[in-house]
Amino acid sequence: MSYDPAELAALLSEPWSNGACRGYVIMAMENCGFADQDIRRIMAELYELFDFVSLDEAEAHYQKSSY
């Protein structure tokens, strides 16, 4: 797989946004048919995780997960 260096640099320079991450999760859950109460529970958990888990810790968890 090849990448356009300019496109890759643009993607990597985008700032992190907790709000954008929340938006992605909400859209995914809505697309999968999750109930509103379940989405609210997940959003509450994300608020906690954003406060207590670093980006590096979250990335490491994602990399070792089966998802």
Side-chain angles (χ1 to χ4, degrees), residues 26 29-44:
I26 290 168
M29 293 184 76
E30 288 172 341
N31 290 346
C32 290
F34 281 79
D36 288 349
Q37 70 183 32
D38 293 328
I39 295 173
R40 284 188 189 90
R41 287 180 54 220
I42 294 299
M43 290 300 102

PDB file of all heavy atoms in Angstrom, residues 26 29-44:
ATOM      1  N   ILE A  26     -20.284   8.290  18.822  1.00  0.00           N
ATOM      2  CA  ILE A  26     -21.744   8.453  18.748  1.00  0.00           C
ATOM      3  C   ILE A  26     -22.252   8.016  17.383  1.00  0.00           C
ATOM      4  O   ILE A  26     -23.230   7.261  17.278  1.00  0.00           O
ATOM      5  CB  ILE A  26     -22.152   9.914  19.046  1.00  0.00           C
ATOM      6  CG1 ILE A  26     -21.915  10.241  20.523  1.00  0.00           C
ATOM      7  CG2 ILE A  26     -23.617  10.155  18.672  1.00  0.00           C
ATOM      8  CD1 ILE A  26     -22.024  11.725  20.845  1.00  0.00           C
ATOM      9  N   MET A  29     -22.120   4.214  17.060  1.00  0.00           N
ATOM     10  CA  MET A  29     -23.148   3.559  17.861  1.00  0.00           C
ATOM     11  C   MET A  29     -24.536   3.758  17.253  1.00  0.00           C
ATOM     12  O   MET A  29     -25.337   2.824  17.207  1.00  0.00           O
ATOM     13  CB  MET A  29     -23.095   4.059  19.306  1.00  0.00           C
ATOM     14  CG  MET A  29     -21.815   3.637  20.015  1.00  0.00           C
ATOM     15  SD  MET A  29     -21.767   4.121  21.740  1.00  0.00           S
ATOM     16  CE  MET A  29     -22.878   2.881  22.426  1.00  0.00           C
ATOM     17  N   GLU A  30     -24.813   4.974  16.763  1.00  0.00           N
ATOM     18  CA  GLU A  30     -26.097   5.216  16.096  1.00  0.00           C
ATOM     19  C   GLU A  30     -26.232   4.342  14.853  1.00  0.00           C
ATOM     20  O   GLU A  30     -27.279   3.737  14.622  1.00  0.00           O
ATOM     21  CB  GLU A  30     -26.227   6.692  15.712  1.00  0.00           C
ATOM     22  CG  GLU A  30     -26.439   7.611  16.892  1.00  0.00           C
ATOM     23  CD  GLU A  30     -26.372   9.086  16.528  1.00  0.00           C
ATOM     24  OE1 GLU A  30     -25.814   9.441  15.463  1.00  0.00           O
ATOM     25  OE2 GLU A  30     -26.885   9.894  17.319  1.00  0.00           O
ATOM     26  N   ASN A  31     -25.155   4.263  14.068  1.00  0.00           N
ATOM     27  CA  ASN A  31     -25.179   3.443  12.849  1.00  0.00           C
ATOM     28  C   ASN A  31     -25.394   1.967  13.144  1.00  0.00           C
ATOM     29  O   ASN A  31     -25.934   1.236  12.308  1.00  0.00           O
ATOM     30  CB  ASN A  31     -23.896   3.624  12.048  1.00  0.00           C
ATOM     31  CG  ASN A  31     -23.773   4.989  11.411  1.00  0.00           C
ATOM     32  OD1 ASN A  31     -24.745   5.744  11.329  1.00  0.00           O
ATOM     33  ND2 ASN A  31     -22.578   5.334  10.968  1.00  0.00           N
ATOM     34  N   CYS A  32     -24.971   1.534  14.325  1.00  0.00           N
ATOM     35  CA  CYS A  32     -25.130   0.131  14.722  1.00  0.00           C
ATOM     36  C   CYS A  32     -26.434  -0.118  15.478  1.00  0.00           C
ATOM     37  O   CYS A  32     -26.693  -1.236  15.912  1.00  0.00           O
ATOM     38  CB  CYS A  32     -23.944  -0.309  15.572  1.00  0.00           C
ATOM     39  SG  CYS A  32     -22.415  -0.442  14.637  1.00  0.00           S
ATOM     40  N   GLY A  33     -27.228   0.922  15.650  1.00  0.00           N
ATOM     41  CA  GLY A  33     -28.535   0.750  16.264  1.00  0.00           C
ATOM     42  C   GLY A  33     -28.555   0.714  17.780  1.00  0.00           C
ATOM     43  O   GLY A  33     -29.524   0.214  18.368  1.00  0.00           O
ATOM     44  N   PHE A  34     -27.528   1.259  18.434  1.00  0.00           N
ATOM     45  CA  PHE A  34     -27.520   1.278  19.893  1.00  0.00           C
ATOM     46  C   PHE A  34     -28.627   2.189  20.415  1.00  0.00           C
ATOM     47  O   PHE A  34     -28.961   3.199  19.808  1.00  0.00           O
ATOM     48  CB  PHE A  34     -26.171   1.774  20.427  1.00  0.00           C
ATOM     49  CG  PHE A  34     -25.089   0.739  20.405  1.00  0.00           C
ATOM     50  CD1 PHE A  34     -24.418   0.435  19.231  1.00  0.00           C
ATOM     51  CD2 PHE A  34     -24.742   0.069  21.564  1.00  0.00           C
ATOM     52  CE1 PHE A  34     -23.421  -0.511  19.210  1.00  0.00           C
ATOM     53  CE2 PHE A  34     -23.742  -0.889  21.555  1.00  0.00           C
ATOM     54  CZ  PHE A  34     -23.079  -1.185  20.374  1.00  0.00           C
ATOM     55  N   ALA A  35     -29.179   1.862  21.563  1.00  0.00           N
ATOM     56  CA  ALA A  35     -30.220   2.665  22.210  1.00  0.00           C
ATOM     57  C   ALA A  35     -29.602   3.938  22.785  1.00  0.00           C
ATOM     58  O   ALA A  35     -28.432   3.958  23.170  1.00  0.00           O
ATOM     59  CB  ALA A  35     -30.880   1.865  23.335  1.00  0.00           C
ATOM     60  N   ASP A  36     -30.412   4.994  22.864  1.00  0.00           N
ATOM     61  CA  ASP A  36     -29.947   6.274  23.409  1.00  0.00           C
ATOM     62  C   ASP A  36     -29.330   6.116  24.793  1.00  0.00           C
ATOM     63  O   ASP A  36     -28.302   6.721  25.093  1.00  0.00           O
ATOM     64  CB  ASP A  36     -31.100   7.276  23.478  1.00  0.00           C
ATOM     65  CG  ASP A  36     -31.521   7.782  22.114  1.00  0.00           C
ATOM     66  OD1 ASP A  36     -30.813   7.533  21.110  1.00  0.00           O
ATOM     67  OD2 ASP A  36     -32.583   8.434  22.043  1.00  0.00           O
ATOM     68  N   GLN A  37     -29.941   5.306  25.641  1.00  0.00           N
ATOM     69  CA  GLN A  37     -29.411   5.146  27.008  1.00  0.00           C
ATOM     70  C   GLN A  37     -28.032   4.495  26.987  1.00  0.00           C
ATOM     71  O   GLN A  37     -27.179   4.823  27.813  1.00  0.00           O
ATOM     72  CB  GLN A  37     -30.368   4.365  27.892  1.00  0.00           C
ATOM     73  CG  GLN A  37     -30.501   2.888  27.550  1.00  0.00           C
ATOM     74  CD  GLN A  37     -31.523   2.181  28.421  1.00  0.00           C
ATOM     75  OE1 GLN A  37     -32.505   2.764  28.833  1.00  0.00           O
ATOM     76  NE2 GLN A  37     -31.283   0.917  28.678  1.00  0.00           N
ATOM     77  N   ASP A  38     -27.787   3.594  26.054  1.00  0.00           N
ATOM     78  CA  ASP A  38     -26.464   2.969  25.951  1.00  0.00           C
ATOM     79  C   ASP A  38     -25.429   3.968  25.445  1.00  0.00           C
ATOM     80  O   ASP A  38     -24.288   3.983  25.919  1.00  0.00           O
ATOM     81  CB  ASP A  38     -26.516   1.747  25.035  1.00  0.00           C
ATOM     82  CG  ASP A  38     -27.340   0.617  25.625  1.00  0.00           C
ATOM     83  OD1 ASP A  38     -27.359   0.481  26.863  1.00  0.00           O
ATOM     84  OD2 ASP A  38     -27.972  -0.118  24.845  1.00  0.00           O
ATOM     85  N   ILE A  39     -25.810   4.816  24.508  1.00  0.00           N
ATOM     86  CA  ILE A  39     -24.898   5.840  24.005  1.00  0.00           C
ATOM     87  C   ILE A  39     -24.551   6.803  25.137  1.00  0.00           C
ATOM     88  O   ILE A  39     -23.382   7.171  25.306  1.00  0.00           O
ATOM     89  CB  ILE A  39     -25.506   6.571  22.789  1.00  0.00           C
ATOM     90  CG1 ILE A  39     -25.667   5.585  21.613  1.00  0.00           C
ATOM     91  CG2 ILE A  39     -24.630   7.760  22.384  1.00  0.00           C
ATOM     92  CD1 ILE A  39     -26.395   6.142  20.416  1.00  0.00           C
ATOM     93  N   ARG A  40     -25.529   7.183  25.933  1.00  0.00           N
ATOM     94  CA  ARG A  40     -25.263   8.069  27.070  1.00  0.00           C
ATOM     95  C   ARG A  40     -24.292   7.425  28.068  1.00  0.00           C
ATOM     96  O   ARG A  40     -23.408   8.101  28.608  1.00  0.00           O
ATOM     97  CB  ARG A  40     -26.569   8.434  27.778  1.00  0.00           C
ATOM     98  CG  ARG A  40     -27.377   9.456  27.033  1.00  0.00           C
ATOM     99  CD  ARG A  40     -28.584   9.939  27.853  1.00  0.00           C
ATOM    100  NE  ARG A  40     -29.449  10.741  27.031  1.00  0.00           N
ATOM    101  CZ  ARG A  40     -30.472  10.279  26.302  1.00  0.00           C
ATOM    102  NH1 ARG A  40     -30.769   9.003  26.326  1.00  0.00           N
ATOM    103  NH2 ARG A  40     -31.191  11.091  25.558  1.00  0.00           N
ATOM    104  N   ARG A  41     -24.455   6.131  28.323  1.00  0.00           N
ATOM    105  CA  ARG A  41     -23.549   5.413  29.237  1.00  0.00           C
ATOM    106  C   ARG A  41     -22.125   5.428  28.697  1.00  0.00           C
ATOM    107  O   ARG A  41     -21.161   5.650  29.451  1.00  0.00           O
ATOM    108  CB  ARG A  41     -24.013   3.978  29.450  1.00  0.00           C
ATOM    109  CG  ARG A  41     -25.244   3.852  30.329  1.00  0.00           C
ATOM    110  CD  ARG A  41     -25.676   2.405  30.531  1.00  0.00           C
ATOM    111  NE  ARG A  41     -24.581   1.596  31.021  1.00  0.00           N
ATOM    112  CZ  ARG A  41     -24.323   0.337  30.607  1.00  0.00           C
ATOM    113  NH1 ARG A  41     -25.075  -0.247  29.711  1.00  0.00           N
ATOM    114  NH2 ARG A  41     -23.314  -0.333  31.107  1.00  0.00           N
ATOM    115  N   ILE A  42     -21.977   5.181  27.409  1.00  0.00           N
ATOM    116  CA  ILE A  42     -20.647   5.172  26.793  1.00  0.00           C
ATOM    117  C   ILE A  42     -20.029   6.566  26.848  1.00  0.00           C
ATOM    118  O   ILE A  42     -18.844   6.726  27.149  1.00  0.00           O
ATOM    119  CB  ILE A  42     -20.718   4.658  25.338  1.00  0.00           C
ATOM    120  CG1 ILE A  42     -21.123   3.181  25.310  1.00  0.00           C
ATOM    121  CG2 ILE A  42     -19.398   4.889  24.600  1.00  0.00           C
ATOM    122  CD1 ILE A  42     -20.174   2.244  26.025  1.00  0.00           C
ATOM    123  N   MET A  43     -20.819   7.599  26.580  1.00  0.00           N
ATOM    124  CA  MET A  43     -20.303   8.966  26.627  1.00  0.00           C
ATOM    125  C   MET A  43     -19.833   9.319  28.036  1.00  0.00           C
ATOM    126  O   MET A  43     -18.780   9.935  28.213  1.00  0.00           O
ATOM    127  CB  MET A  43     -21.362   9.970  26.160  1.00  0.00           C
ATOM    128  CG  MET A  43     -21.669   9.915  24.675  1.00  0.00           C
ATOM    129  SD  MET A  43     -20.231  10.252  23.632  1.00  0.00           S
ATOM    130  CE  MET A  43     -19.781   8.597  23.133  1.00  0.00           C
ATOM    131  N   ALA A  44     -20.577   8.915  29.048  1.00  0.00           N
ATOM    132  CA  ALA A  44     -20.169   9.161  30.433  1.00  0.00           C
ATOM    133  C   ALA A  44     -18.847   8.461  30.732  1.00  0.00           C
ATOM    134  O   ALA A  44     -17.961   9.030  31.382  1.00  0.00           O
ATOM    135  CB  ALA A  44     -21.255   8.698  31.402  1.00  0.00           C
TER     136      ALA A  44
END
